[in-house]
Amino acid sequence: MNNRTLVIVAALLLAVLAISSSAFVVKETEKAVLLRFGELVRTDYEPGLYFKLPLVHELRKFDARIQTVDSSPVRMLNSENKFMMVDSYAKYRISDVARFYVATRGDQRNAVRLLAEQVNDRLRNQFGVRDLHEVVSGQRDQLMANITKNLNQVARTSLGVEVIDVRVKRIDLPPEVSESVFQRMRAGRELEARDHRAKGEEASERIRADADRQKVVIQAEAYRQSEEIRGAGDAEAAAIYAGAFNKNPEFYRFTRSLHAYKSSFNDKSDMLLVDPESDFFRYLKDPEGR
């Protein structure tokens, strides 16, 4: 290999090296800024292939996808002067890469730290004017929406990021507060339980009294109906007997006398003092009862 060939190969290698060090690709999931000796010169990169001057230009890339700021639990005071341990997170993405680079000095950890401070400050302000019930369930959704909207306006201006959502993952009470809150909640539930029991007992007494009243009314109505039926039966029986006896009164008197004899002489030890001339013996003296 002669000297000319070596020169050509070396030139080619240098050209390849120069091109590889000057060419760069910006992906759809990235945002990029170009620096010239530390000065920001370009930020409007769309996805594609670009070139820069080696040793003169410096390229910085940032993730343009949605990022999460997961801050540590922070101790906060509510309107009831009760401390709470609040664990929250925020979702954001870069909207203005130039502003983002200037505000964070090109370090995304600074953005995470600054956003976490902003989130905690707004949560502390909002929790300070609300009680535990409001921040846990009563106004939680509206509270998070207001914080997200307010923080997004500030973050766009100061950090160049869009805050998409702010959420509270968990709210705990410190150990010294948990017991007193638990006892207060327990007392409230016991009072509510006693109230329900008293109302239940009152309702049961009312139902029982109404049932007893209905029982008396039903029994009285049944007794009345039974007496009416019995009276009607007795009247009908008497009418039947009267109709039968009127057909042969003498036979009726005879059968009644036989029943009277049978009842009177049922036991040999019985003693009966009767005038022999009375009507009791009329059928014993004369079969025709004359």
Side-chain angles (χ1 to χ4, degrees), residues 93-157:
R93 62 187 169 198
I94 299 174
S95 59
D96 186 342
V97 66
R99 193 183 301 273
F100 177 81
Y101 177 80
V102 172
T104 64
R105 298 174 185 174
D107 190 347
Q108 201 154 357
R109 291 174 298 182
N110 290 333
V112 171
R113 178 179 56 81
L114 293 172
L115 274 177
E117 292 176 355
Q118 294 282 353
V119 170
N120 290 333
D121 287 343
R122 279 156 179 77
L123 286 174
R124 189 176 287 108
N125 293 336
Q126 293 295 330
F127 281 23
V129 295
R130 289 173 172 83
D131 58 26
L132 182 61
H133 172 72
E134 290 174 340
V135 300
V136 170
S137 60
Q139 302 177 3
R140 185 168 179 171
D141 292 338
Q142 184 62 38
L143 174 63
M144 294 300 101
N146 292 339
I147 292 177
T148 301
K149 181 179 179 181
N150 179 265
L151 182 59
N152 182 48
Q153 295 174 350
V154 176
R156 280 180 177 273
T157 303

Side-chain angles (χ1 to χ4, degrees), residues 265-284:
F265 305 122
N266 188 34
D267 192 347
K268 294 181 179 181
S269 62
D270 291 341
M271 294 182 63
L272 185 63
L273 298 178
V274 181
D275 186 0
E277 299 300 329
S278 67
D279 289 341
F280 185 72
F281 297 106
R282 60 187 298 183
Y283 288 101
L284 292 179

